[in-house]
Amino acid sequence: MKLSLKGKGASAVAAVVGAVFALAAAVGCVIYGALYEQYSDYVVVICLVVGALLLAAYALIDNQVTDWFGLVGVVGVSAGLAVFVANSYNVWADTWGNILQYGSITGDYSFFNSQGGPIPALVLILLTLAAAICGVVCCFSGKQEGNQ
């Protein structure tokens, strides 16, 4: 069994790119969770890591069983995305609704009041969404170079 992308098509490349995005998002979630307790949810990290491993296995291992790993990897990454978005609701409410659920850091209303503001949460959501999109692309294109 050789683990290589040589001779693989767009599907395998998209799956590897999705796996890299999912792992980057998982690392970001660990770092962000260490800074702010709201994001310290290891279900998100586990879903992203499992999704990344499944996408990588789909791309690198040729087997009848692993042909389904792209789809299952998308489900894992999407579950992580869904939980992270649900966890980040308070940030969006504080940012756009002028609701101070976590208190004001600056005294008056500020765009960056709650849990580090919306920028880190948005970056993690976009990374995870990119991983899910790459996973969906890998489900609809050929895994081998000639199958596109």
Side-chain angles (χ1 to χ4, degrees):
M1 171 173 72
K2 70 177 181 177
L3 303 174
S4 173
L5 284 178
K6 187 175 182 180
K8 302 283 177 132
S11 178
V13 173
V16 169
V17 170
V20 169
F21 284 151
L23 284 177
V27 169
C29 286
V30 168
I31 293 169
Y32 206 40
L35 295 174
Y36 301 105
E37 74 278 355
Q38 176 181 350
Y39 298 104
S40 184
D41 190 349
Y42 289 99
V43 171
V44 174
V45 176
I46 291 169
C47 286
L48 291 175
V49 169
V50 168
L53 291 174
L54 288 168
L55 287 171
Y58 166 79
L60 299 174
I61 301 171
D62 291 327
N63 185 314
Q64 284 185 344
V65 174
T66 59
D67 285 345
W68 289 95
F69 282 9
L71 179 62
V72 179
V74 171
V75 171
V77 170
S78 299
L81 174 62
V83 174
F84 185 82
V85 168
N87 289 346
S88 69
Y89 170 75
N90 296 331
V91 170
W92 306 115
D94 285 357
T95 302
W96 303 110
N98 199 11
I99 300 170
L100 299 177
Q101 295 182 22
Y102 282 98
S104 177
I105 294 173
T106 59
D108 289 334
Y109 175 72
S110 172
F111 189 71
F112 298 102
N113 271 347
S114 180
Q115 301 287 313
I119 304 301
L122 182 63
V123 168
L124 291 173
I125 288 171
L126 290 177
L127 267 174
T128 309
L129 185 61
I133 290 171
C134 287
V136 169
V137 167
C138 87
C139 293
F140 292 101
S141 57
K143 187 174 178 182
Q144 299 302 327
E145 198 166 7
N147 293 342
Q148 299 173 3

